[in-house]
Amino acid sequence: MCADVIVAEDDEKQAELVRRYLEREGHAVRIVGDGLAALDAVRNREPDLLVLDVMMPRADGLDVVRVLRAEARELPVLMLTARSTEDDLLLGLDLGADDYMTKPYSPRELMARVRTLLRRARRPGGAASAADDHVLRVGGLVVDPERHEVTVDGEPVECTRGEFRILAALAAGPDRVFSRQRLLEELHGFDRYISDRTVDVHVMNLRKKIEPAPRRPVRLLTVFGVGYKLTDPAKERRRVTTTPRGAAPDPASPA
């Protein structure tokens, strides 16, 4: 799987190390040393992957990701950083980075993550799995993996890549309960310092976008002690109104 890769890294030794490993696997590599050069290179070259350092002159990696996603560029972005706090990692993911590694890192692990990102990007439907190359409907919520689009009751909803992956996984199995670990696997390959809170943050942001009252969700429900599920509110209302009086409650329903 040969790819066109841009490496944005102002540390020359780090950049050369990444270049050697990428070229050893047959990839074409271009090195740039600052954020503005990274933006120009992506716009001019349309690469298959951007390996992006966070701390760079002229424009940092977070600003680069913010601009690329605002321009609707869908290339995979693997961020490299010396920062290791959870808030920094979550910010990078929420802006649209696909994966995040903290320094120092293993070059072999870096290459494994590169291979994962390239495989996923070349599947039908991009961020969603190959089996999800059809429109997914859960009541008034529609997820189109092929076009990377979400609508709620006909209104378009903007999602980050991480949010979209979680929503597509949940929509592919309506009423099925997904554990946080399972949803982390759907996000794939994230840094080992990221906790289950990554999923919770994405869910919180999704509720602000798809729920009429985010603090009282009717679509994206918490199943306490287990995880999350996506349901059709109208179907759930019908189930509740037809449950015989005195019947035991559904053990999968949130409290």
Side-chain angles (χ1 to χ4, degrees):
M1 183 188 298
C2 297
D4 186 5
V5 182
I6 291 174
V7 176
E9 169 65 78
D10 63 326
D11 184 317
E12 293 183 4
K13 291 183 178 179
Q14 287 286 328
E16 277 304 310
L17 177 65
V18 176
R19 181 207 291 272
R20 286 201 302 271
Y21 274 85
L22 287 168
E23 290 182 342
R24 187 179 299 173
E25 296 204 0
H27 303 305
V29 182
R30 178 182 175 185
I31 304 291
V32 296
D34 64 72
L36 294 184
L39 287 171
D40 289 341
V42 169
R43 290 164 179 159
N44 294 332
R45 189 161 174 166
E46 296 292 340
D48 299 304
L49 174 69
L50 173 62
V51 179
L52 179 65
D53 186 33
V54 171
M55 301 297 292
M56 288 190 299
R58 300 180 73 196
D60 69 23
L62 297 175
D63 287 333
V64 171
V65 173
R66 187 181 290 110
V67 171
L68 292 176
R69 297 314 184 213
E71 294 177 352
R73 297 182 187 274
E74 293 295 321
L75 81 157
V77 177
L78 172 58
M79 299 194 80
L80 307 176
T81 181
R83 298 173 178 174
S84 61
T85 68
E86 187 176 79
D87 286 344
D88 288 329
L89 303 180
L90 291 174
L91 176 58
L93 299 177
D94 284 340
L95 288 174
D98 296 273
D99 202 353
Y100 214 119
M101 293 189 69
T102 54
K103 300 177 181 179
Y105 51 81
S106 159
R108 291 179 61 188
E109 182 182 359
L110 176 65
M111 292 305 103
R113 296 196 185 194
V114 164
R115 289 191 293 271
T116 298
L117 285 174
L118 291 173
R119 281 196 302 268
R120 182 174 287 264
R122 291 176 181 183
R123 288 175 181 172
S129 67
D132 292 336
D133 58 354
H134 59 282
V135 175
L136 307 169
R137 302 178 188 275
V138 184
L141 175 71
V142 179
V143 180
D144 188 337
E146 197 163 305
R147 294 180 175 83
H148 206 277
E149 294 176 350
V150 177
T151 60
V152 176
D153 298 328
E155 295 296 321
V157 174
E158 293 295 326
C159 294
T160 67
R161 292 164 72 89
E163 292 165 3
F164 187 89
R165 287 174 184 164
I166 287 179
L167 195 59
L170 291 167
D175 295 316
R176 172 186 167 192
V177 182
F178 288 76
S179 68
R180 288 175 176 83
Q181 183 58 43
R182 172 65 184 82
L183 292 173
L184 273 175
E185 291 170 2
E186 188 65 28
L187 293 172
H188 83 84
F190 284 119
D191 190 278
R192 59 187 175 274
Y193 295 107
I194 294 181
S195 70
D196 290 353
R197 183 168 174 263
T198 306
V199 172
D200 296 335
V201 170
H202 284 315
V203 167
M204 179 182 67
N205 291 334
L206 279 169
R207 282 175 172 160
K208 294 176 182 178
K209 298 175 180 182
I210 69 173
E211 296 282 4
R215 292 183 180 274
R216 300 181 63 185
V218 294
R219 286 191 170 92
L220 211 175
L221 305 180
T222 300
V223 180
F224 291 104
V226 185
Y228 298 101
K229 70 175 182 177
L230 192 67
T231 191
D232 176 357
K235 179 180 176 182
E236 188 71 8
R237 284 194 299 270
R238 289 194 298 270
R239 186 191 66 80
V240 171
T241 57
T242 57
T243 299
R245 183 173 298 178
D250 182 349
S253 297

